[in-house]
């Protein structure tokens, strides 16, 4: 009888202890489970916030890039218009209709040849019919980068430093004419400059606008040295743009015609 009583007491104590331990374990399990759920929710929220911020920043960057492109295009239009305006003031007796050049945003895709860093493939969405005879101006940050033309229906950029890159320039305050080109022995030069007036070291070189490639007064570079040859001068030029850019502006002034007539006509 005594043994039976002890067994009953033992079983009761065991059940009581087991119940207490089970409640504590259950409580710990619930607490751990809640902590895991909260952690997962926090991670999920952080990921969502990060992705949201990324796309918002991407949209903001895209918006700002578009705004910058529009601002640059307007600036180039203004520069071309300002030159025409000054010429109009100097030509009181003439009628000069203003026809602004077309300006297109183009992207540098790659080098045409891996060992030639002055010849690049360009991509543009402008709808001009490809014509191997047309030559376009290339500028970056309102500085001359080179020229561009279609070859086999693909647009190629010839930068300052390529032998195919030539265009008309003027030098200094006297606007001495010359032809910008690349010389394999000397580098980037302005050739065929008249002997008078003499070109000075430090003179600034601009586009002339007479070659139907660029509008006038776009910065080209600075004279570093001058050499006299029989009948003309040659100036070595430090180009204002000496690096390959990712994006350029293409100047199309093939229809940039000036009709001169009397006011009475």
């Amino acid at each position: 009888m005594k043994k039976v009583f002890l067994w009953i007491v033992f079983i009761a104590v065991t059940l009581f202890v087991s119940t207490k331990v089970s409640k504590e374990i259950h409580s710990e399990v619930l607490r751990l489970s809640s902590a895991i759920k909260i952690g997962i929710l926090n991670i999920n929220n952080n990921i969502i916030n990060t992705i949201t911020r990324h796309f918002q920043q991407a949209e903001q960057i895209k918006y700002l890039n578009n705004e910058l492109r529009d601002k640059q295009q307007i600036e180039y239009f203004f520069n071309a218009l300002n030159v025409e305006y000054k010429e109009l003031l100097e030509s009181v007796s003439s009628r000069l209709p203003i026809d602004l050049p077309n300006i297109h945003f183009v992207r540098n895709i790659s080098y045409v040849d891996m060992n030639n860093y002055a010849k690049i493939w360009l991509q543009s969405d402008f709808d001009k019919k490809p014509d191997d005879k047309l030559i376009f101006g290339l500028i970056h940050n309102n500085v001359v980068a080179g020229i561009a033309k279609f070859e086999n229906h693909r647009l190629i950029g010839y930068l300052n430093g390529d032998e195919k890159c030539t265009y008309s320039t003027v030098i200094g305050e006297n606007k001495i004419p010359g032809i910008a080109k690349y010389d394999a022995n000397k580098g980037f030069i302005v050739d065929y400059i008249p002997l008078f007036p003499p070109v000075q070291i430090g003179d600034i070189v601009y586009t002339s606008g007479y070659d139907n490639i660029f509008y006038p007064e776009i910065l080209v570079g600075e004279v570093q040295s001058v050499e006299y040859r029989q009948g003309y001068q040659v100036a070595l030029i430090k180009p204002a743009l000496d690096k390959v850019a990712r994006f350029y502006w293409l100047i199309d002034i093939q229809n940039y015609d000036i009709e001169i007539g009397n006011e009475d006509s």
Side-chain angles (χ1 to χ4, degrees):
M1 191 68 182
K2 186 177 180 180
K3 289 183 178 181
V4 174
F5 176 76
L6 291 175
W7 274 108
I8 292 172
V9 172
F10 175 75
I11 291 171
V13 172
T14 301
L15 289 174
F16 177 77
V17 172
S18 175
T19 301
K20 288 291 185 181
V21 171
S22 177
K23 288 181 179 180
E24 292 178 0
I25 292 174
H26 181 68
S27 177
E28 288 295 323
V29 169
L30 289 176
R31 187 178 63 81
L32 181 60
S33 176
S34 296
I36 292 173
K37 289 180 180 178
I38 292 172
I40 292 174
L41 290 174
N42 289 337
I43 292 173
N44 185 54
N45 288 335
N46 289 337
I47 292 174
I48 292 174
N49 291 336
T50 300
I51 293 174
T52 301
R53 284 197 302 270
H54 171 75
F55 282 107
Q56 288 176 344
Q57 290 173 353
E59 288 297 323
Q60 182 70 7
I61 291 171
K62 181 179 179 181
Y63 170 78
L64 292 175
N65 284 338
N66 290 335
E67 288 292 308
L68 178 60
R69 285 175 50 182
D70 292 342
K71 176 181 176 297
Q72 288 179 329
Q73 190 173 35
I74 292 172
E75 179 183 353
Y76 298 148
F77 278 142
F78 174 78
N79 290 339
L81 182 60
N82 187 49
V83 171
E84 287 298 301
Y85 173 71
K86 289 191 294 185
E87 292 184 358
L88 278 170
L89 294 180
E90 296 173 358
S91 306
V92 178
S93 61
S94 298
R95 184 177 67 251
L96 300 178
I98 297 176
D99 186 11
L100 289 175
N102 294 316
I103 301 177
H104 306 277
F105 196 62
V106 296
R107 180 174 65 177
N108 172 10
I109 301 175
S110 66
Y111 296 114
V112 175
D113 303 307
M114 290 305 296
N115 60 342
N116 185 352
Y117 303 116
K119 187 177 178 181
I120 57 177
W121 292 115
L122 296 171
Q123 181 185 33
S124 173
D125 58 357
F126 77 108
D127 56 1
K128 178 174 285 295
K129 183 179 178 181
D131 187 338
D132 292 348
K133 296 180 181 180
L134 298 180
I135 300 176
F136 309 96
L138 280 181
I139 62 176
H140 178 74
N141 290 337
N142 207 25
V143 175
V144 173
I147 64 170
K149 63 182 299 186
F150 282 101
E151 293 185 8
N152 298 322
H153 305 293
R154 296 191 66 181
L155 188 61
I156 297 180
Y158 296 99
L159 306 181
N160 294 326
D162 189 278
E163 293 181 351
K164 289 188 177 182
C165 179
T166 61
Y167 49 89
S168 175
T169 63
V170 290
I171 303 175
E173 295 181 356
N174 294 317
K175 295 187 177 182
I176 310 168
I179 303 298
K181 58 186 286 189
Y182 179 76
D183 184 281
N185 297 319
K186 297 183 177 298
F188 185 51
I189 63 172
V190 172
D191 207 348
Y192 308 114
I193 308 169
L195 287 176
F196 299 99
V199 174
Q200 304 294 328
I201 295 175
D203 281 349
I204 303 301
V205 183
Y206 296 93
T207 56
S208 70
Y210 300 138
D211 52 11
N212 217 29
I213 298 175
F214 295 98
Y215 54 82
E217 298 187 15
I218 306 176
L219 178 61
V220 175
E222 180 181 331
V223 175
Q224 287 190 308
S225 64
V226 182
E227 176 183 332
Y228 292 90
R229 295 183 183 175
Q230 186 174 2
Y232 59 93
Q233 305 174 79
V234 177
L236 179 65
I237 307 301
K238 178 182 180 181
L241 183 66
D242 58 358
K243 64 180 181 180
V244 179
R246 189 63 175 170
F247 297 97
Y248 296 93
W249 289 94
L250 184 142
I251 310 300
D252 175 14
I253 50 178
Q254 305 305 319
N255 298 317
Y256 199 48
D257 299 326
I258 298 178
E259 298 178 1
I260 300 179
N262 295 326
E263 290 183 349
D264 296 335
S265 62

